[in-house]
Amino acid sequence: RYDCLMIDEINDIRIIGSITVTCLLAIALIGMDWEARAQVILLGILCLAIVNFFIGLCLPPTNKQKSQGFFGIQGDILTTNMVSGYESGESFFSVFSVFFPAATGILAGANISGDLKDASKSIPKGTFLAILVTTLVYLLMAIFLGASVQREANGIILASVTEAVNVSKMLVGPSTTTIASPAINVDAGPTFTEKDYSYTKDFVGNCSLAPRGCKYGLLHSYQAVEMVAAWGPLVLAGIFSATLSSALASLMSAPKVFQALCKDKIFPFLVYFGVGYGPGDSPRRAFILCFVIAFGFQMIADLNLIAPLISNFFLMSYALINFSCFDASIARSPGWRPSFRFYNKWLSFSGSILCIVVMFIINWITALITFGCVGSLFLYIHHRKPDVNWGSSTQAHVYRNVLQSALKLIRTGEHIKNFRPQILVLSGEPETRPALVDFCTHITKKMGLMVCGNVIIGGQSENLRKLQSEAPYTYFRKRHIKSFYSATTASSLQLGAQALMQNVGVGKFRPNLLILGFKSNWQTDRPETVQQYLGIIHDAFDLKFGVGILRVKEGFGLDVETNTTLFDANLDDDGSDEDSPRETHNSITGQSSKLKIDEENIIDDMEFEGENDDEQDTEKGLPKSKPKRAGYDQNNKPTQLRPVATDKEEEEGQGDRSVEPMANNPLLLKKLNTQVLKTMNKFRNKEQGTIDVWWLFDDGGLTLLLPYILTTKAIWRGCRLRVFAAGTKSGDLGYEQRQLATLLAKFRIDCKDMTVLPEINKKPSEESVKLFSSYLSKWKLEKGESKEKFPWKTTDDELELLKEKTQRQIRLRELLLERSKSASLIVMTLPMPRKGTCAAGLYMCWIDTLTRDMPPILLVRGNQESVLTFYS
């Protein structure tokens, strides 16, 4: 325009753009105060430029302005320009895509909401006023410009008679940008004089008169507004101020939003850019990243090339915002209360659809690229599941869908094909019995409901903190356990278990199987608690629960104050489904959980199972110990590993003994850590070998179903099933074997190793009987004792009545030692304790005889309802 190119047009744009972006970065790094001052200055220049334009409309046009198509405000020019006339390859939406970025400042206030004193008032007021003012300015400028400037103008300036001698034609050269100002070009051609022609609309709009065609007018000239204005350079200043204002607003707001995104740790590799500096938490690193991106795009030096892509991303943003509002409305969350009184969810939905449609109309390839980028981000976040809580409408939808589904299931009758094991496991605080919780997880993960129940001995008022604790769910997340947690207070373990079995669950989402850890201290514990243990089993059968009792050699009790680093937060999924199991690692000793552990180093004091420890202490008259979260003392301070005090030490007032610091006692540390790891990770490593199923009675098929479910999980997939069934004394062994194979085939349970045991009915050896009698000795009524006072003890009459069952349990132990001593897991039918005929002591002798010194063994019995069917 002014013939002042530095290199060429493209490189001049790059040079000026680079300098400009660098200056904007400097303002952004200085702080919000300078940015606000700069915006005020730029706004003032922009207002002057707009006023300058309207003043120019009121001034009479010069001959030069007329030659470029400006004739003042005239109705016929407006009528002509109101009709569209696009050049070849252009359309409304191609023009829209270029113009749209000029209207993308709607979110500028929301993006800097953290820097506003009263965001709830400032953002709506500022946004609506900005939209109103800019809309009016854009419309008025477009209307008045369309009413005063022709669409095409040849730029011919009529020569006077004297000038016609030397100049045949004078043309004002074209300009390709709003910055450059080339000099007027004079080309050879016919001379148009004021004597023969005048500045009429027809003459100026006749493009055939110019050798190179029309180069001016609204269709061809980017400097139309500058040409109309009273003083052209002020318009250039206004263009610069508008561009710089938008760029500065974007450079300030985008890093703020990006910083918040980084702080949420949704994308861990971007956390570096979330660091803030100074009292205002300025995102300097994000500023620099934004500067690098802006610098790269301005080097393209072609706004028309970049604008469609920018428009598509802005449209996608607006589409998602509109849809978010619509989605929050249909989720019907009480927390969604829009204060804008004209809000309508269907208007939001229509806006979202309109944005998407316009994206594809502008450029369907760019729209697909935009969808691909947004879709990739969504899939990444959905897969990673970051630990952030925004109170999103997704949570509201999940709740609503679950509620509707639960209500719908109530109206649907039970069917055997849809049976799922839904487990209530009496785990106490889950982190104190990790092996028991892990085993139950293998059964229910991605298949059924699991609830960890905790009975807290005592009243509600003194245990409110425990009842409301979120620590179990933190533990579940660290160990990748899909389970619920329910705690209750009661005066005894049995009453608490009754409350859990009666009240846990809703609708069809209720447990149907109770699993307990074996009470390994039944010989030394108070008889009343052993009686309660049997009472829980009776209560479960009365409430139509199946019952399972799991025993492992190591025990389940983690009765040491373990540092939380033992629960490795980086443990991957336990592999109970598609995921491969991983070897857990002790973060203190650095020893793998797969190291061979010397059983002589196991501390006996740590093997306490059952849930009645607090109750036992209370009944002894001792101060009730407060259950502690692993790794923390009663004041939530990290503690060192220390052994649990024995009963004798508690009675002597030494219950809170401490050990030497871990660094000074490596032998004790090794013992503690090996026991902790052995207990914690019993069921977190891949198993090989066999799962032996001792299917002795028809309980509905639960004894067969549970081991089959385990073999479908990654940890147990390497184990093959072996089924043992009871035979008859006089039956045909081959025929019974074939019958068993046929039955399993009908149940669609893949098992190649099936054994019928006719010898199960033989009498046990005298040695085994004597061993059993020695365990039972203290549980028999003595002279002077009555059944009413000692209900847990058995009588000679009961022993005689149950002699055959007792001998059967002893014989089964002999067969287990003979056939299943090396199995990875044993699943056996649980002996049925009949009320009034089998005392607690005798029953505990039965199950202790079946499970003592065995591999992990699960005694399970269904509630006599079928869980297997022949039909698929």
Side-chain angles (χ1 to χ4, degrees):
R1 169 84 186 245
Y2 297 108
D3 197 18
C4 59
L5 291 175
M6 290 179 285
I7 300 175
D8 55 53
E9 294 180 357
I10 296 296
N11 287 306
D12 282 7
I13 293 174
R14 291 170 178 167
I15 294 171
I16 296 173
S18 300
I19 297 172
T20 304
V21 172
T22 304
C23 293
L24 293 178
L25 174 65
I27 295 174
L29 292 175
I30 291 173
M32 282 292 298
D33 293 340
W34 281 92
E35 188 267 346
R37 295 170 187 170
Q39 290 283 17
V40 171
I41 296 173
L42 294 173
L43 177 62
I45 297 173
L46 180 59
C47 291
L48 289 176
I50 294 172
V51 172
N52 178 47
F53 166 75
F54 284 104
I55 292 175
L57 287 173
C58 301
L59 299 176
T62 64
N63 289 341
K64 183 179 179 180
Q65 289 176 319
K66 289 180 181 179
S67 69
Q68 297 179 14
F70 175 53
F71 288 91
I73 300 174
Q74 297 185 15
D76 57 338
I77 297 178
L78 177 63
T79 303
T80 302
N81 287 331
M82 288 295 289
V83 181
S84 61
Y86 300 103
E87 289 185 321
S88 177
E90 304 295 338
S91 65
F92 169 81
F93 288 100
S94 65
V95 177
F96 174 84
S97 67
V98 175
F99 178 77
F100 184 76
T104 55
I106 298 173
L107 298 178
N111 291 340
I112 58 171
S113 57
D115 299 308
L116 301 176
K117 292 182 179 179
D118 190 353
S120 61
K121 291 183 179 180
S122 300
I123 292 176
K125 185 185 296 184
T127 301
F128 283 116
L129 282 175
I131 292 174
L132 177 62
V133 171
T134 53
T135 302
L136 287 175
V137 171
Y138 284 151
L139 286 176
L140 289 174
M141 290 188 69
I143 290 172
F144 281 105
L145 198 62
S148 58
V149 180
Q150 289 192 155
R151 182 173 296 172
E152 292 184 302
N154 51 35
I156 298 175
I157 298 177
L158 297 177
S160 63
V161 176
T162 56
E163 291 173 335
V165 177
N166 300 316
V167 181
S168 61
K169 177 187 172 186
M170 182 178 292
L171 290 173
V172 178
S175 176
T176 57
T177 67
T178 58
I179 301 175
S181 300
I184 298 175
N185 297 321
V186 180
D187 298 321
T191 301
F192 299 97
T193 63
E194 295 177 349
K195 179 180 179 181
D196 301 321
Y197 299 93
S198 62
Y199 292 104
T200 62
K201 298 182 186 68
D202 293 335
F203 173 78
V204 172
N206 190 347
C207 295
S208 62
L209 299 178
R212 295 184 297 173
C214 289
K215 301 298 179 182
Y216 293 94
L218 296 178
L219 190 61
H220 303 289
S221 176
Y222 291 163
Q223 284 81 30
V225 174
E226 179 188 0
M227 179 264 296
V228 171
W231 188 46
L234 187 57
V235 172
L236 290 178
I239 293 173
F240 268 101
S241 65
T243 305
L244 293 175
S245 176
S246 298
L248 189 57
S250 297
L251 190 60
M252 290 298 298
S253 60
K256 289 278 187 181
V257 177
F258 188 67
Q259 182 188 36
L261 189 70
C262 295
K263 286 184 175 181
D264 284 336
K265 298 181 180 179
I266 299 176
F267 305 100
F269 49 86
L270 296 178
V271 174
Y272 173 82
F273 297 100
V275 178
Y277 296 88
D281 198 30
S282 177
R284 295 178 184 174
R285 296 178 181 178
F287 281 142
I288 295 173
L289 177 64
C290 190
F291 162 77
V292 172
I293 295 173
F295 191 89
F297 274 95
Q298 68 86 25
M299 292 298 286
I300 298 176
D302 189 348
L303 179 63
N304 292 347
L305 184 62
I306 304 171
L309 181 62
I310 297 174
S311 298
N312 267 276
F313 274 99
F314 271 111
L315 284 168
M316 175 58 77
S317 300
Y318 299 151
L320 291 175
I321 292 172
N322 278 294
F323 186 79
S324 297
C325 295
F326 171 75
D327 190 58
S329 297
I330 63 175
R332 301 189 178 183
S333 174
W336 172 248
R337 299 183 298 274
S339 58
F340 183 49
R341 57 181 173 176
F342 299 111
Y343 168 77
N344 183 280
K345 62 182 179 182
W346 297 111
L347 183 61
S348 296
F349 181 73
S350 301
S352 178
I353 297 298
L354 181 62
C355 288
I356 294 174
V357 171
V358 172
M359 284 175 61
F360 281 92
I361 293 177
I362 290 175
N363 190 320
W364 65 270
I365 296 178
T366 308
L368 289 178
I369 294 173
T370 306
F371 267 92
C373 295
V374 174
S376 299
L377 294 176
F378 173 79
L379 291 176
Y380 174 83
I381 295 173
H382 182 74
H383 173 73
R384 189 173 178 274
K385 296 180 176 62
D387 188 17
V388 292
N389 185 5
W390 295 314
S392 65
S393 60
T394 303
Q395 294 173 312
H397 276 298
V398 170
Y399 174 85
R400 190 161 173 255
N401 293 337
V402 169
L403 181 62
Q404 292 176 345
S405 299
L407 293 172
K408 185 178 179 180
L409 277 176
I410 294 176
R411 301 189 295 269
T412 305
E414 299 281 0
H415 195 283
I416 185 175
K417 290 192 295 185
N418 292 325
F419 174 83
R420 295 172 181 267
Q422 304 191 113
I423 295 177
L424 170 61
V425 51
L426 294 185
S427 63
E429 294 184 5
E431 63 185 10
T432 63
R433 292 172 180 82
L436 180 62
V437 175
D438 287 341
F439 181 83
C440 296
T441 301
H442 297 166
I443 298 174
T444 61
K445 189 173 182 182
K446 296 186 180 180
M447 181 173 292
L449 172 71
M450 175 178 166
V451 180
C452 289
N454 182 17
V455 179
I456 302 172
I457 307 301
Q460 174 180 299
S461 57
E462 62 264 27
N463 292 291
L464 283 175
R465 179 172 294 181
K466 299 177 191 174
L467 289 171
Q468 299 171 356
S469 174
E470 291 295 320
Y473 286 102
T474 303
Y475 172 77
F476 291 156
R477 286 192 295 271
K478 288 181 178 179
R479 299 275 284 189
H480 301 278
I481 293 171
K482 310 298 182 184
S483 175
F484 295 97
Y485 171 77
S486 180
T488 185
T489 56
S491 59
S492 68
L493 177 64
Q494 184 176 359
L495 292 177
Q498 286 178 357
L500 290 173
M501 288 187 285
Q502 292 171 9
N503 300 314
V504 165
V506 57
K508 295 295 178 68
F509 293 96
R510 299 181 64 85
N512 52 27
L513 175 61
L514 176 71
I515 289 187
L516 308 88
F518 177 74
K519 187 173 179 59
S520 61
N521 64 341
W522 66 280
Q523 286 280 17
T524 58
D525 203 356
R526 302 182 73 249
E528 290 83 0
T529 61
V530 179
Q531 182 70 24
Q532 289 184 29
Y533 187 83
L534 178 61
I536 293 172
I537 297 174
H538 284 307
D539 294 337
F541 284 126
D542 290 342
L543 293 171
K544 294 187 176 181
F545 275 68
V547 176
I549 299 177
L550 181 66
R551 184 175 189 178
V552 296
K553 289 180 182 179
E554 297 83 359
F556 296 116
L558 195 61
D559 299 325
V560 289
E561 299 177 26
T562 56
N563 189 288
T564 51
T565 53
L566 290 173
F567 301 106
D568 191 352
N570 296 321
L571 279 174
D572 201 350
D573 193 70
D574 63 359
S576 58
D577 271 285
E578 295 81 9
D579 302 324
S580 300
R582 292 193 180 182
E583 190 175 313
T584 54
H585 193 78
N586 185 348
S587 60
I588 294 179
T589 64
Q591 293 175 336
S592 166
S593 64
K594 286 192 174 182
L595 289 176
K596 294 184 178 179
I597 299 174
D598 185 0
E599 292 187 1
E600 294 179 357
N601 290 333
I602 298 174
I603 299 177
D604 295 333
D605 290 345
M606 298 168 65
E607 190 172 342
F608 290 107
E609 301 175 22
E611 277 211 36
N612 56 324
D613 298 335
D614 287 345
E615 178 191 359
Q616 179 183 354
D617 293 342
T618 304
E619 293 180 4
K620 285 183 178 181
L622 299 173
K624 184 172 66 176
S625 60
K626 296 183 180 180
K628 302 172 185 176
R629 192 176 155 208
Y632 295 85
D633 61 13
Q634 295 178 1
N635 298 319
N636 264 348
K637 294 181 179 179
T639 61
Q640 294 179 338
L641 292 173
R642 62 180 63 180
V644 173
T646 61
D647 293 342
K648 181 179 178 181
E649 288 169 331
E650 287 184 350
E651 293 172 357
E652 295 175 355
Q654 301 176 15
D656 192 27
R657 63 170 179 161
S658 298
V659 298
E660 299 177 51
M662 288 187 294
N664 298 329
N665 198 346
L667 180 59
L668 178 60
L669 175 62
K670 179 180 179 181
K671 290 181 178 180
L672 289 170
N673 283 339
T674 52
Q675 171 63 16
V676 168
L677 284 174
K678 188 172 183 179
T679 302
M680 285 176 54
N681 302 312
K682 176 65 181 176
F683 296 112
R684 292 185 74 84
N685 298 308
K686 194 168 185 179
E687 299 286 347
Q688 299 289 337
T690 63
I691 298 178
D692 288 359
V693 182
W694 290 71
W695 189 25
L696 306 177
F697 302 98
D698 182 15
D699 60 350
L702 189 62
T703 308
L704 274 176
L705 181 62
L706 294 185
Y708 168 76
I709 291 174
L710 288 175
T711 59
T712 64
K713 307 302 173 70
I715 282 183
W716 299 95
R717 199 167 291 155
C719 299
R720 58 186 177 88
L721 281 180
R722 295 197 304 176
V723 177
F724 298 90
T728 58
K729 291 181 180 180
S730 58
D732 183 353
L733 183 60
Y735 174 73
E736 291 179 351
Q737 195 98 2
R738 289 192 298 272
Q739 269 197 323
L740 178 61
T742 302
L743 185 61
L744 293 177
K746 287 184 177 180
F747 284 144
R748 299 178 305 284
I749 292 179
D750 184 19
C751 180
K752 302 292 190 298
D753 196 339
M754 295 159 286
T755 305
V756 176
L757 302 172
E759 64 269 27
I760 201 171
N761 296 306
K762 291 181 180 181
K763 289 185 179 181
S765 66
E766 289 295 328
E767 184 181 353
S768 298
V769 174
K770 287 181 180 179
L771 182 61
F772 180 85
S773 299
S774 67
Y775 276 91
L776 185 62
S777 59
K778 67 170 289 186
W779 298 94
K780 295 172 67 175
L781 278 176
E782 299 177 358
K783 289 183 180 181
E785 295 179 342
S786 64
K787 188 71 173 174
E788 290 75 18
K789 191 174 181 180
F790 300 94
W792 50 83
K793 291 191 174 184
T794 186
T795 64
D796 292 334
D797 292 337
E798 287 180 359
L799 287 174
E800 185 62 31
L801 178 65
L802 300 173
K803 181 179 180 180
E804 185 178 345
K805 283 191 174 181
T806 300
Q807 290 183 344
R808 186 183 183 91
Q809 312 311 324
I810 300 172
R811 177 59 181 159
L812 281 171
R813 173 176 176 79
E814 294 176 345
L815 293 174
L816 283 169
L817 290 172
E818 178 185 335
R819 295 179 177 270
S820 298
K821 184 66 174 176
S822 61
S824 298
L825 175 69
I826 301 172
V827 180
M828 175 179 274
T829 305
L830 176 72
M832 186 69 176
R834 296 190 179 277
K835 286 184 178 180
T837 61
C838 184
L842 177 59
Y843 186 72
M844 292 303 296
C845 280
W846 284 359
I847 58 177
D848 183 72
T849 298
L850 292 173
T851 59
R852 187 174 62 254
D853 299 325
M854 294 290 176
I857 180 169
L858 174 67
L859 300 179
V860 63
R861 196 177 190 106
N863 58 4
Q864 302 306 126
E865 293 183 1
S866 296
V867 299
L868 292 174
T869 176
F870 293 161
Y871 308 104
S872 58

